[in-house]
Amino acid sequence: METAIPKQYTRGQLIFQYGDKADRFFVILNGWAKLYRDMSDGHQVVLHTFTAGESFAEAAILGQETFPASAEAVEDSTLLVFSGAKFKEKLMGNAQLSMQMLASMSAHMRHLVNQMEQLNGRPTAQRLASFLVGLCANINDNANDNANDNHPINIYLPYDKTLVAARLGMQPETLSRAFGKLKKLGVKSKGSGVMINSPLELAKFCEEIE
Amino acid sequence: METAIPKQYTRGQLIFQYGDKADRFFVILNGWAKLYRDMSDGHQVVLHTFTAGESFAEAAILGQETFPASAEAVEDSTLLVFSGAKFKEKLMGNAQLSMQMLASMSAHMRHLVNQMEQLNGRPTAQRLASFLVGLCANINDNANDNANDNHPINIYLPYDKTLVAARLGMQPETLSRAFGKLKKLGVKSKGSGVMINSPLELAKFCEEIE
DNA sequence: AGCTTGCTTTGACTAAGATCAATAATATAT
DNA sequence: ATATATTATTGATCTTAGTCAAAGCAAGCT
């Protein structure tokens, strides 16, 4: 939309904070951002991580007056900032757009539901495996790759392991050990690079019952 | 809306199942329903519980073609069943309605986010306390009560403790023990009745660190 | 009443992950 | 290049909630 303005954020910079007036929303041009919530005990729950092409906080400008979570850039990033008021106007005049918006929110909710499933009792190694498989899928999508192939693949963690751990609802130490457990499944982790021998086998492992 | 038809469900009856074609949604006239998801390991995650006046599965009829979760009546209940197609038509012709719908979904998402926060690491006693405080709040709302007062209060669990446990992401045994821990905070549980001496103190406990 | 059935509570035990503490590796700065 | 800070790994221990098993209660039934 023509009214948006691009804005630069540096690593660690706050984009908005829980409770702020929700009068804008965002699309990521490049970089990564996290949506999170600080809990009373000092911990942080990472609700979602976003990257280039994805939008977030669209939901907040409707209904609520304030953001229900905080957001922060986890890398140097460029975001498009949209005015909520102007967007609302457009929505009122365009039923088609409203429907698309509803569909996108519905997808977002499905995502949240999936996330809830993950955070629950499932063992840490499996949670990590799911996460890695997700990253593989992204890469394959981008490369327009055949969905059926099963090359060894090299992926890079989009942000440091502390954040990966938070995203998966575990401690950094536990993440380390989860990587350890995945070694026997052909997952090698070196720095921010992860080498996966058989994405398919890993995907199978995610579904395993104990 | 005039096109809806009321339908009777008995306790334990399936309303719809994960993967079913999402061509309708529901409003509860009376009784209780739960929205849940069966996980690969046989456990069940309860995403939400609904009662009279609340609607659910509205999100599903947009975007996705199938329900992302299952629903079941937890008491004998009467639901209004709406046709998704007809509702979509109405939406297209009515921007106002679309906005309301967006707002309601946005609220629902906020709820899910809160739920995620709860399911996480927080100790079981605190999760239960939050739940009870929520029930108190409902009652006070209905009674148009002063928000600041702090009477001892008697509440009734809306469904059996097995389901409460599931709703809170814990085992029935653990729920019992959680109730035990809350005794020293003036919470007495007898059957489906719960007597809370000081809702305020209980609310404070929810936020406590450790 | 006495019996059955299903929910709830209690107890003993186990296991997964958190925490604490120390070391190693990486990145940043001087 | 060396020093310093940050992040990652490893080990030992502890806590919490899950599991298994048994007993206590309550409601409904014959």
Side-chain angles (χ1 to χ4, degrees), chain A residues 146-158:
Chain A
N146 185 339
N148 295 324
D149 56 9
N150 187 35
H151 323 302
I153 192 171
N154 250 315
I155 59 187
Y156 282 85
L157 298 175

Side-chain angles (χ1 to χ4, degrees), chain A residues 160-162 173 176-177:
Chain A
D160 60 34
K161 292 188 177 170
T162 320
E173 296 95 321
S176 266
R177 291 174 180 126

Side-chain angles (χ1 to χ4, degrees), chain B residues 136-137 139-151 153:
Chain B
C136 289
I139 288 172
N140 281 337
D141 281 0
N142 291 342
N144 262 0
D145 228 342
N146 186 341
N148 294 324
D149 55 10
N150 187 38
H151 324 298
I153 192 172

Side-chain angles (χ1 to χ4, degrees), chain A residues 61-62 68 74 80-82 92 101 116 134 150 155 184:
Chain A
I61 58 163
L62 305 151
V74 298
L80 267 178
V81 184
F82 289 82
M92 283 300 290
M101 178 87 185
M116 278 179 71
N150 187 35
I155 59 187
K184 62 175 78 83

Side-chain angles (χ1 to χ4, degrees), chain A residues 2 11 15 29 34 53 56-57 72 89-91 94 137-138 146 151 163 168 192 202-203:
Chain A
E2 58 289 337
R11 172 175 217 263
I15 298 168
L29 293 182
K34 71 172 171 180
F56 61 98
E72 171 182 314
E89 273 173 41
K90 292 262 176 191
L91 272 182
N94 186 341
N138 275 347
N146 185 339
H151 323 302
L163 181 53
L168 297 172
S192 71
L202 196 62

